[in-house]
Structure formats: structure tokens, C-alpha cells
Amino acid sequence: MSGHVPPSNSAWAPRAGYRRHSYSPAHSPAERPPALDWTPQADRLLRRGTVALWVLGVLGVIGFLIVLGVIYATAGQELSRLLLPVVLALVPLHIVLAAVGWIDRWEPEPLGALAAAFLWGAGVSTVVSLVVNTSTTVLVAQATGSLDGGSMVSAVVTAPIVEELTKGLGVLILFLLRRRSFNGAVDGLVYAAVIAAGFAFAENILYFVQYSDVLLQTFIMRGIASPFAHVIFTACTGIAIGSSARMRSRLAWAWVTPIGLAGAIVLHAFWNGVLTAAPTLYFLIAVPFFIASVGLVVWLRWSERMTMRSRLGDYQRAGWFAPAEVTMITTGSGRAAARRWAKSRGEPSRRAMRDFLAASSALAQLRQQAIDGHAEADFATREQALLRTVVESRRAFAAQSPCCSRAVAKWPRPGPAPPEAGDRPEGQ
């Protein structure tokens, strides 16, 4: 445990059941020794994570090439027949990715991890599902003598199970690889949505080729009326896995993942079975459910923003942020105004503001992980590095404005970092 003791009038108190960590609180910039961004643990985890992401990406590329080969054969080995389906499949893909960008804008996930997620969905999940679903259709058709029966069993039973298992497995692998940067349900939702987007992209190309005789109708049903279908299914698994990052037990994912996966499979089976057989239910069930899903996403983003505001408030009380800065960092309008202001003062100021916002967000998430009981051995080093970035970035963009420079020069020197992550304000 650190030797830091909160003032006697502080409202901080240890959280029930919390196991205290032994990291030292960060000192003020003038007092602390130089902090290093690198630690042996962080370096080792970074190398392993990078290698694993490359492996996932390569597997995804191989799987996607196999899928393209199957589609090419389905198109009669005519490349010209592939062009329009690919272009049409890009429409719902852009819709989904734009929504993901909006959801993930507070603390964007690394592009490398998102690329690996997309390739897993477009390659691994798609090729496994293609093999299993096709095999099921053939076997059931041979056993019953009905091709329609085989297709129905594949669509309602096999497809939901296999597709959601493979997509959910991708989310789980990324969670286990990047646990240090998973901060809650929103992160799980983002990775699930990107994997589902990759899967839907490959599947849409296949369907647009197979049903080229009714291409417009197929495109409207899959690309316009239901671009988020796979996203909503897999989001059940992603939200469950992401939520486990906020739970005390490091093995919570082992029991919450099956719950989310069950929800994904049930929704997928209902969509393929009931809605396909009775399209009129689309407006009675699917549309209201989609609206409810949007409401859930908005609430999750709001909750993430409030958590960030609370954690930055801890540092504000210790003197690292001004109240106006916390408000600016945790509101979309505030961030937009800050970026416009910095951009108007030149490229160095713009870069400094970008680093300031990114470091502040990462600092809030790092502290929340510690409060949840998941502080790593290098917590203090990472905290000090982020605080240093905050201070240096603020000084850099303030230097471009005389009034801000005078304000920063009079800024009260920060005291110690907030109380240990195990201590939190009452009522929170």
C-alpha cells in the first residue's frame, strides 16, 4: 500500500472488498523522478500482442481469399460479375463502420486491432460458417430428400450457432490479448461490430452473386433494410465480454460470455426463421428492436462519458486539471471546440491538443481499471507517463496563445495523484 493518506476532511473511503495495490502515487511534475514509458512487463505484452494480431490478420486474409475463390467459382469464373456485388457490399459496410466510429470516438481502439477484427470476421468466421452450413444443408437434404428442409435447418439451427460462435470467438481472443486496454462494454461492442461488419461484407458479396437475378431486391433487404443485423447479434456477445472487464474476477468472462452468446444465437435464429418466413413482422418487431438497440448504445456511451468525467474529477481535485478542462474533455461539443481552437493556432497546437485529449482519456480509463481491482504492476509508471503528456501538451498548445500562456504560468502546482484506486468517493 502507498504511504499517501487522504486529508482528514476527505470523503474518500476504501471500497468494500477491495484488495489494495502497492503502487506509489504520482508526484507533482517538479518533485517526481523522471518516469519511463517502458517497463519490461509492458514491452513483453506489447510484443506478444503485436505477434498475435499479425497471426489473426494473416488467418483472416487466408480465409477471405478462400471465400473469394468460392464466390469466383459461383460467378462462373467471370471477374466482371464480381465487380457490382463488391461495390454494393461496400454500402452497408460503410454505414456500419461510420456508426462504429461514432461509438468509439471517446477512446478509439488501435487501427491494427480493428483491422485484425475485420479480417477475422471476413475470413475465418465466414469460411468456417460456409463449410459447416453447406455441409449441413447437403447432409440433411440427403437424409430427408428435401433440399428446402436442408436449407431451413442450416439457416435456423446451424448458421446461428456456428456464425455466432466464430464471431464471438474473435471478440474473446481480442479481449484476452488486449485485456489491458479493454475498458468496458463499449470496447466489446466496438470489436463485435467490426467483426460482424467483416462477416456481413463477405456474406453480402456471396449473396449478391448467388441472387444476381434479383439483385436489387436482395440489396435492399440486406444492404438497406438490415445492415446492422449481424452487428446486433454479435453485439450481445461483445457487450457481455466487454462488461466482464469491469468485474472484480479476472475470470468473469468465462461465465458472462456464454450468456451473451446465447442471446446472439437466439436473435440470429429468430431473424433467420420467423422474420424470413413472415416479412411483415419486420416492422412490428425488427424496427422497434433496432430502435431499442440504438437507445442501449446511446446509454452505454453516456455511461462511459460519465465514468471518464468521474475519474478525471479525481485528478482535478488533486490539481492536475481545471474544472473547465474536465467538462471540455468529457463533452463532444467541448472536444470539437478545443480542436477548432487548437487548429486555428497552427499544426503544433493541433497536435498538442490531440495528445492532450488522448492522454486524458487514457488516464481516466487507466484509473478506472485500478478502481475495478485490475491495476497492473506498471500502473504507476503508466500513470506518470500520461500525466507528463497532459502537462507537456497543455504547455505546448497554451504557448500558442498569450492569454493561455499567462494562465498556465499561474497554474497551481499539482499535488499528489488522487488517493489509491481502492479509495473512492462515497456514493459512487
Side-chain angles (χ1 to χ4, degrees):
M1 172 181 172
S2 166
H4 174 72
V5 178
S8 58
N9 61 349
S10 172
W12 295 82
R15 183 178 183 177
Y18 178 72
R19 183 184 66 190
R20 291 179 179 271
H21 295 271
S22 59
Y23 64 84
S24 299
H27 304 284
S28 68
E31 298 171 350
R32 68 171 179 265
L36 298 175
D37 297 346
W38 175 92
T39 64
Q41 179 191 29
D43 183 65
R44 182 171 61 254
L45 291 174
L46 179 62
R47 288 200 308 269
R48 290 178 180 175
T50 301
V51 171
L53 288 179
W54 272 102
V55 171
L56 292 180
V58 169
L59 290 176
V61 170
I62 294 173
F64 188 57
L65 290 176
I66 294 174
V67 172
L68 288 180
V70 173
I71 297 174
Y72 179 67
T74 304
Q77 299 183 354
E78 297 180 18
L79 287 175
S80 58
R81 292 185 58 190
L82 287 178
L83 180 60
L84 182 57
V86 170
V87 171
L88 292 178
L90 288 173
V91 174
L93 175 64
H94 279 81
I95 295 174
V96 172
L97 293 183
V100 171
W102 177 79
I103 295 171
D104 195 37
R105 64 177 179 165
W106 289 108
E107 190 190 11
E109 299 303 314
L111 288 179
L114 294 177
F118 179 84
L119 289 171
W120 177 276
V124 178
S125 296
T126 306
V127 74
V128 172
S129 300
L130 183 62
V131 171
V132 176
N133 293 339
T134 302
S135 300
T136 299
T137 300
V138 172
L139 291 175
V140 174
Q142 290 178 345
T144 61
S146 172
L147 182 59
D148 291 340
S151 300
M152 179 60 69
V153 171
S154 176
V156 178
V157 179
T158 308
I161 294 175
V162 175
E163 292 176 12
E164 296 310 322
L165 271 174
T166 54
K167 289 184 290 181
L169 178 61
V171 180
L172 182 59
I173 291 174
L174 287 167
F175 169 76
L176 296 176
L177 288 176
R178 301 186 49 79
R179 187 165 194 151
R180 282 162 60 99
S181 60
F182 252 79
N183 302 306
V186 172
D187 287 351
L189 171 62
V190 166
Y191 283 110
V194 173
I195 289 175
F199 182 91
F201 175 65
E203 189 180 58
N204 281 338
I205 298 174
L206 177 61
Y207 272 87
F208 294 159
V209 169
Q210 287 181 334
Y211 300 99
S212 57
D213 53 332
V214 286
L215 181 58
L216 180 59
Q217 179 182 347
T218 305
F219 170 71
I220 292 174
M221 290 300 298
R222 295 187 62 87
I224 304 300
S226 58
F228 291 97
H230 277 286
V231 173
I232 292 175
F233 306 152
T234 313
C236 296
T237 309
I239 291 175
I241 293 174
S243 298
S244 70
R246 296 290 308 275
M247 299 178 182
R248 286 291 182 188
S249 173
R250 295 189 67 84
L251 297 177
W253 60 267
W255 61 267
V256 299
T257 300
I259 297 175
L261 180 62
I265 292 173
V266 169
L267 286 178
H268 198 152
F270 180 82
W271 178 272
N272 285 2
V274 177
L275 292 183
T276 301
T280 55
L281 293 178
Y282 173 84
F283 297 99
L284 297 177
I285 298 178
V287 172
F289 188 82
F290 173 75
I291 295 173
S293 299
V294 172
L296 174 62
V297 171
V298 171
W299 179 80
L300 287 173
R301 289 186 74 253
W302 174 86
S303 178
E304 182 183 52
R305 184 164 60 89
M306 291 300 101
T307 298
M308 182 181 296
R309 177 173 294 185
S310 179
R311 297 291 70 82
L312 290 180
D314 299 345
Y315 289 99
Q316 173 205 321
R317 288 187 287 275
W320 290 96
F321 291 94
E325 285 183 317
V326 175
T327 301
M328 178 267 287
I329 295 167
T330 57
T331 58
S333 59
R335 285 181 171 231
R339 290 192 181 99
R340 287 195 301 269
W341 175 87
K343 185 178 180 180
S344 68
R345 279 150 179 81
E347 182 62 19
S349 181
R350 187 195 67 81
R351 289 197 301 267
M353 181 61 73
R354 178 198 62 194
D355 295 342
F356 177 80
L357 294 174
S360 301
S361 299
L363 187 65
Q365 301 293 357
L366 179 68
R367 181 164 175 77
Q368 184 61 52
Q369 286 180 342
I371 286 179
D372 292 334
H374 302 310
E376 302 285 352
D378 62 345
F379 172 89
T381 301
R382 295 168 65 193
E383 181 191 48
Q384 290 172 2
L386 289 170
L387 287 172
R388 187 173 67 254
T389 300
V390 167
V391 172
E392 293 174 352
S393 299
R394 180 193 290 123
R395 185 179 298 118
F397 65 69
Q400 308 300 318
S401 176
C403 62
C404 290
S405 297
R406 291 192 294 270
V408 171
K410 298 178 182 179
W411 198 278
R413 189 177 69 180
E420 289 195 17
D423 302 334
R424 63 189 300 179
E426 292 178 356
Q428 283 194 13

